[in-house]
Amino acid sequence: MTTDLMLRLNEELVNRIRAHGEECYPHECCGALLGREGESGREILDLLPLENRHGDSPRNRFTILPDDFRHAEKVARERGLDLVGWYHSHPDHPALPSEFDRAHAWPWYSYIIVSVEQRQPGQITSWRLADDRVRFIPERIEIADCMVVAHVPPRPDASARG
């Protein structure tokens, strides 16, 4: 299945996602994807690692609470970016969305999954939930060598917020 959905990020951000997955192993890590929607795809320009709030089964589930969501939106605004998705790890499982992932996902957002086998980060994939919420659509990942992460200029309307 080919897809027109494209997600761009740089190698440093990919390495940070993989390191977070390794650090949290054998539990799932999770975090927010901060970036911008562009004409040729979505760009991830920064990450916000979050705490996995899934109390009874963090090894194979992750939960982000409403306060975490609001915090991620606030941090994105402060950095002149948008909250465009989420990432998490799959310890000792493939980087494919689970039924739990589908049931708890929202359309529009990107969902990066990194497989972590025996503490070794592996395959990284990205997905978007279809508008009908029945399936995930694969999102192509382009890893750029030189995207700038630091010193992202704020959006024009960001300076008006106090």
Side-chain angles (χ1 to χ4, degrees), residues 4 9 38 41 61 63 69 71 94 101 111:
D4 292 336
L9 67 167
R61 304 278 186 266
T63 299
F69 185 92
H71 175 67
D101 294 337
Y111 290 89

Side-chain angles (χ1 to χ4, degrees), residues 7 33 42 84-86 108-112 126-128 139:
L7 183 77
L33 303 171
R42 187 169 282 172
V84 295
W86 309 94
W108 186 82
Y109 287 106
S110 293
Y111 290 89
I112 289 179
S126 188
W127 309 85
R128 289 197 207 175
E139 187 171 43

Side-chain angles (χ1 to χ4, degrees), residues 9 11 16 18 26 39 43 45 47-48 54 61-62 74 77 86 88 97 99-100 103 105 107 130 146 154:
L9 67 167
E11 189 72 36
R16 285 173 51 195
R18 288 183 165 135
E39 288 182 22
E43 291 183 319
L45 297 167
L47 305 173
L48 179 65
H54 201 86
R61 304 278 186 266
F62 81 98
K74 180 178 184 270
R77 262 192 325 273
W86 309 94
H88 71 283
E99 179 57 27
F100 182 88
C146 58

Side-chain angles (χ1 to χ4, degrees), residues 25-140:
Y25 183 90
H27 297 149
E28 288 194 7
C29 75
C30 60
L33 303 171
L34 311 179
R36 294 200 179 106
E37 188 74 33
E39 288 182 22
S40 62
R42 187 169 282 172
E43 291 183 319
I44 306 305
L45 297 167
D46 208 352
L47 305 173
L48 179 65
L50 297 168
E51 182 180 338
N52 183 347
R53 308 276 189 190
H54 201 86
D56 62 341
S57 184
R59 184 166 177 8
N60 62 351
R61 304 278 186 266
F62 81 98
T63 299
I64 295 170
L65 298 179
D67 283 345
D68 299 320
F69 185 92
R70 285 188 289 276
H71 175 67
E73 285 186 318
K74 180 178 184 270
V75 169
R77 262 192 325 273
E78 289 170 351
R79 296 179 186 175
L81 301 171
D82 297 309
L83 174 59
V84 295
W86 309 94
Y87 71 87
H88 71 283
S89 61
H90 277 185
D92 300 317
H93 286 280
L96 300 171
S98 67
E99 179 57 27
F100 182 88
D101 294 337
R102 189 199 57 78
H104 292 86
W106 300 294
W108 186 82
Y109 287 106
S110 293
Y111 290 89
I112 289 179
I113 303 173
V114 61
S115 175
V116 183
E117 297 284 337
Q118 300 298 311
R119 199 176 293 278
Q120 296 301 311
Q123 183 183 24
I124 189 166
T125 61
S126 188
W127 309 85
R128 289 197 207 175
L129 186 64
D131 289 338
D132 63 9
R133 301 182 60 96
V134 173
R135 72 194 186 299
F136 275 99
I137 301 166
E139 187 171 43
R140 288 186 302 134

